[in-house]
Amino acid sequence: MNISDARAPTTSSWKPGSAAATNVIDAPEIVILTSIGLDHTQYLGDTIEKIAAEKCGIIKKNSTVVVCPGQPDEAMSVIERFCADTGSKLIEAKEPRVTDDGLRSGMGAEFEYDGESYRLSLRGGFQPYNAAAVIEAMRALSK
């Protein structure tokens, strides 16, 4: 897929990520892309590729980009292309081992990542995936 194929039909000057609030930062130290799925299709596009392209619009030249584990292949293809086109480094977080999603217990989600145990204040099975990306982002920033 050509990145320009993901253009939204609303305006001819549209660029991926142009509506993202994070685009007020000219040169972010790090970019984190959380899970990409078919949500908010009325704003982001009606395919995984279009949604990924929209989310990738926050990637700037020579960025470090961290992605949550478990991204669909279609999304990863777009992310990889954006990173290559912008000279950005791509870091894929590893899959966390979720031990409790926190929904039954009412407590936060619990998971293991790289041999360490974590408990979040947030509930939901997807939260450890977001946290894994944050862990990798912190590691990248500390280098």
Side-chain angles (χ1 to χ4, degrees), residues 3-139:
I3 291 171
S4 63
D5 293 341
R7 186 173 337 146
T10 54
T11 70
S12 60
S13 62
W14 177 87
K15 292 188 300 189
S18 60
T22 55
N23 266 330
V24 300
I25 302 169
D26 291 329
E29 289 187 50
I30 201 139
V31 171
I32 299 175
L33 297 174
T34 56
S35 63
I36 296 173
L38 289 173
D39 51 350
H40 308 294
T41 54
Q42 69 273 31
Y43 305 111
L44 302 176
D46 59 359
T47 67
I48 293 291
E49 292 89 348
K50 288 178 182 178
I51 292 168
E54 178 65 28
K55 290 189 174 193
C56 285
I58 65 172
I59 298 172
K60 305 294 192 292
K61 187 175 182 171
N62 300 316
S63 297
T64 297
V65 179
V66 180
V67 297
C68 283
Q71 298 286 3
D73 291 340
E74 306 93 326
M76 283 307 300
S77 294
V78 174
I79 294 166
E80 290 166 353
R81 181 165 298 139
F82 265 81
C83 287
D85 289 351
T86 60
S88 296
K89 177 182 179 183
L90 177 61
I91 299 171
E92 294 181 58
K94 295 180 286 297
E95 188 104 8
R97 190 172 86 74
V98 180
T99 55
D100 181 6
D101 63 11
L103 296 175
R104 287 190 191 96
S105 67
M107 306 295 287
E110 295 179 27
F111 67 101
E112 294 175 4
Y113 192 79
D114 276 351
E116 297 287 326
S117 295
Y118 297 89
R119 171 179 259 160
L120 304 171
S121 61
L122 302 169
R123 293 183 289 251
F126 65 93
Q127 295 296 352
Y129 289 77
N130 292 346
V134 170
I135 291 166
E136 292 300 333
M138 292 175 62
R139 289 176 178 171

